[in-house]
């Protein structure tokens, strides 16, 4: 299944005076010259080869690791994908040779301007494909975003038996699935099942080979509550956090800024990172990526984040409650196990699905994690608020202190006079 049927090939040969098979001279009228036909005259073996293309879909991780099936990115990031297509040697005899890539449009959308197509000859060596050899479209349907690269088979002579690569990016959308089974997109190659067809309906409908990739995003959920005071046990509204990320796998762009969720951020100084309690190592690089403020009942969340080391620094709390003395781990240093089962399954029409995605498993610091987006509960304790330097309350406290000092001096003088009389 999946192999292209050669419907017109005629393979001529003779048996010579020694009883061995030999190919007929190429000038014989009506002979079809087909490179797939070879003769081993020593053993009188005639070999005819059927061809089948192939497709592999891979993604490049944020740290530059290529040729993987899964990666993690944040909302706004442009995810780099590569489709590698094995071209059959009889490509010019096909009516259809088309590649499609399908995503859920609320999760990922392909960027047409990012598409780059290159070829490689059968014997090696790069080939520049003419733009007239293919047509690129990116269009939505009711639920999906579909990128189509429709090749003109007759224009692919130079890559017959070779390879075509399609490199492109797809941007993570705000509706991306957080953790769970991830955001899956499907690439397939659609090609003629027979040579020299003019009608590809019914039993001549093209074959399809499918491969997939998945991108994970993660989320942070905070519940801010009170301990003691008038709000004991209640959620605290209006508490503000700055979210920082350690940039240990990201690569600096040319402008000395780190990419994050489709934007660029300058790292804070190592001295400031130490002062904030993010680290004890001033050589580490951290970026401030978000400011979060709790809403009703003390809840706030941030979705669509790539995995990594994040920390929350509390910058404002409710009157009567103390600020946290040190940062809080945001628990987003997650890893995900391979969620792939490689298959060679075919449906009734001979279409092949190369791999199946199963539910992934997540780990944090080597331990299994059931819910990567589990809520983090942060407690503020009741206390007192120090007066603001130079404010009215400062003057009030200073005045009270002065009166107490004067009263003390008065008591001392009074005691001294009594002592002298005695």
């Amino acid at each position: 299944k999946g192999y292209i049927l050669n419907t017109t090939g005629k393979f001529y040969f003779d048996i010579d005076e020694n009883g061995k098979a030999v190919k007929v001279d190429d000038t014989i009228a009506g002979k079809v010259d087909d490179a797939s036909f070879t003769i081993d005259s020593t053993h009188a073996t005639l070999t005819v080869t059927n061809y089948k293309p192939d497709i592999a879909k891979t993604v490049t991780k944020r740290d530059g690791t290529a040729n993987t099936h899964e990666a993690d990115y944040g909302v706004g990031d442009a995810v780099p994908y590569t489709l590698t297509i094995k071209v059959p040697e009889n490509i010019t005899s096909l009516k259809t040779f088309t590649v499609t890539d399908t995503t859920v449009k609320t999760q990922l959308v392909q960027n047409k301007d990012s598409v780059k197509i290159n070829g490689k000859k059968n014997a090696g060596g790069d080939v520049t494909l003419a733009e007239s050899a293919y047509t690129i479209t990116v269009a939505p349907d009711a639920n999906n975003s579909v990128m189509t690269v429709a090749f003109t088979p007759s224009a692919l002579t130079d890559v017959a038996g070779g390879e075509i690569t399609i490199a492109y990016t797809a941007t993570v959308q705000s509706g991306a699935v957080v953790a769970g089974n991830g955001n899956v997109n499907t690439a397939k190659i659609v090609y003629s099942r027979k040579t020299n067809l003019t009608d590809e309906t019914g039993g001549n409908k093209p074959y399809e080979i499918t491969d997939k990739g998945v991108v994970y995003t993660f989320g942070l959920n905070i519940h801010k509550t009170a301990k003691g005071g008038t709000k004991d046990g209640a959620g605290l509204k209006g508490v503000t956090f700055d979210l920082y990320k350690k940039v240990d796998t990201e690569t600096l762009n040319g402008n000395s800024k780190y990419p994050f969720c489709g934007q660029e951020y300058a790292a804070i100084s190592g001295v400031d990172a130490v002062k904030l309690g993010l680290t004890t190592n001033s050589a580490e690089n951290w970026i401030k990526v978000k400011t979060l403020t709790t809403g009703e009942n003390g809840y706030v969340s941030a979705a669509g984040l790539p995995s990594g080391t994040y920390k929350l620094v509390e910058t404002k709390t409710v009157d009567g409650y103390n600020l946290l003395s040190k940062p809080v781990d945001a628990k987003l240093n997650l890893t995900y196990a391979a969620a792939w089962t490689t298959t060679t399954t075919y449906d009734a029409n001979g279409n092949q699905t190369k791999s199946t995605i199963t539910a992934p498993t997540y780990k944090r610091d080597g331990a299994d994690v059931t819910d990567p987006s589990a809520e983090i509960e942060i407690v503020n304790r009741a206390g007192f608020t120090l007066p603001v330097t130079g404010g009215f309350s400062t003057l009030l406290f200073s005045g009270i202190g002065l009166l107490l000092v004067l009263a003390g001096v008065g008591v001392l003088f009074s005691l001294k006079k009594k002592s002298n009389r005695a």
Side-chain angles (χ1 to χ4, degrees):
K1 293 182 178 179
Y3 285 91
I4 300 166
L5 179 65
N6 188 335
T7 59
T8 57
K10 296 179 176 64
F11 308 102
Y12 292 89
F13 65 96
D14 278 343
I15 302 296
D16 67 13
E17 63 274 15
N18 297 315
K20 294 183 178 179
V22 293
K23 292 183 80 167
V24 173
D25 187 274
D26 290 351
T27 60
I28 299 268
K31 178 185 178 299
V32 177
D33 185 13
D34 194 312
S36 71
F37 177 50
T38 60
I39 297 177
D40 180 352
S41 59
T42 302
H43 299 92
T45 300
L46 285 68
T47 302
V48 179
T49 302
N50 284 86
Y51 299 108
K52 176 184 177 182
D54 199 5
I55 185 170
K57 179 179 182 65
T58 58
V59 61
T60 299
K61 293 187 176 183
R62 290 181 295 115
D63 64 2
T65 302
N67 300 319
T68 66
H69 275 293
E70 61 274 334
D72 63 271
Y73 281 86
V75 169
D77 281 333
V79 182
Y81 290 99
T82 302
L83 304 179
T84 303
I85 296 100
K86 180 182 176 183
V87 182
E89 290 195 27
N90 58 352
I91 180 66
T92 57
S93 298
L94 304 186
K95 176 179 174 59
T96 299
F97 198 71
T98 299
V99 174
T100 65
D101 182 79
T102 303
T103 64
V104 177
K105 64 183 180 183
T106 57
Q107 300 174 1
L108 288 158
V109 173
Q110 303 91 344
N111 303 306
K112 181 179 178 181
D113 292 342
S114 72
V115 180
K116 294 185 179 356
I117 300 176
N118 292 293
K120 192 174 289 292
K121 294 181 179 180
N122 187 12
D126 295 333
V127 176
T128 300
L129 294 177
E131 291 186 6
S132 59
Y134 54 84
T135 302
I136 304 169
T137 58
V138 175
D141 60 24
N143 300 305
N144 302 314
S145 176
V146 183
M147 179 182 79
T148 302
V149 181
F151 290 96
T152 303
S154 60
L156 300 179
T157 303
D158 289 344
V159 291
E163 189 175 274
I164 293 173
T165 58
I166 303 173
Y168 66 100
T169 64
T171 301
V172 184
Q173 305 297 301
S174 59
V177 172
V178 175
N181 291 331
N183 302 275
V184 180
N185 60 339
T186 302
K188 67 173 64 174
I189 185 167
V190 182
Y191 60 100
S192 301
R193 64 175 57 221
K194 298 178 183 179
T195 59
N196 298 298
L197 283 173
T198 55
D199 179 13
E200 294 190 315
T201 60
N204 287 332
K205 185 177 179 180
Y207 281 127
E208 297 178 0
I209 300 176
T210 299
D211 200 11
K212 298 181 180 181
V214 61
V215 167
Y216 299 103
T217 68
F218 301 101
L220 172 65
N221 294 295
I222 300 168
H223 187 207
K224 187 67 173 174
T225 59
K227 182 72 173 178
T230 59
K231 300 180 182 293
D232 189 32
L236 295 180
K237 179 182 178 181
V239 178
T240 301
F241 296 91
D242 285 339
L243 179 64
Y244 291 85
K245 183 181 188 301
K246 181 182 175 184
V247 281
D248 50 357
T249 59
E250 290 81 357
T251 301
L252 273 173
N253 285 338
N255 54 5
S256 297
K257 293 186 177 181
Y258 290 92
F260 178 83
C261 291
Q263 300 183 51
E264 296 178 328
Y265 297 80
I268 64 174
S269 72
V271 172
D272 287 341
V274 173
K275 285 181 179 178
L276 289 168
L278 299 172
T279 179
T280 58
N281 180 3
S282 62
E284 288 182 0
N285 292 312
W286 291 77
I287 56 174
K288 177 184 170 183
V289 296
K290 286 181 181 291
T291 295
L292 306 171
T293 301
T294 57
E296 294 296 332
N297 301 316
Y299 290 99
V300 66
S301 62
L305 302 172
S307 66
T309 301
Y310 296 77
K311 289 188 180 181
L312 292 156
V313 175
E314 191 175 69
T315 60
K316 177 186 174 184
T317 190
V318 176
D319 288 344
Y321 290 85
N322 294 329
L323 280 173
L324 298 178
S325 60
K326 59 183 180 179
V328 175
D329 182 3
K331 299 182 179 180
L332 290 172
N333 56 324
L334 296 158
T335 57
Y336 35 89
W340 296 89
T341 300
T342 302
T343 67
T344 53
T345 57
Y346 295 84
D347 66 14
N349 294 316
N351 300 319
Q352 181 186 357
T353 299
K354 295 182 63 178
S355 53
T356 301
I357 301 174
T358 58
T361 56
Y362 296 98
K363 290 182 182 293
R364 181 188 297 117
D365 299 326
D368 290 337
V369 176
T370 304
D371 182 4
S373 302
E375 182 181 287
I376 300 172
E377 184 160 321
I378 303 174
V379 180
N380 277 86
R381 298 183 180 277
F384 60 90
T385 304
L386 293 174
V388 177
T389 303
F392 173 77
S393 56
T394 302
L395 296 175
L396 178 61
F397 277 97
S398 298
I400 293 172
L402 180 60
L403 289 174
L404 290 173
V405 170
L406 292 174
V409 171
V411 170
L412 288 174
F413 272 110
S414 176
L415 291 173
K416 187 175 181 181
K417 286 180 181 181
K418 287 181 181 181
S419 175
N420 290 337
R421 291 194 190 105

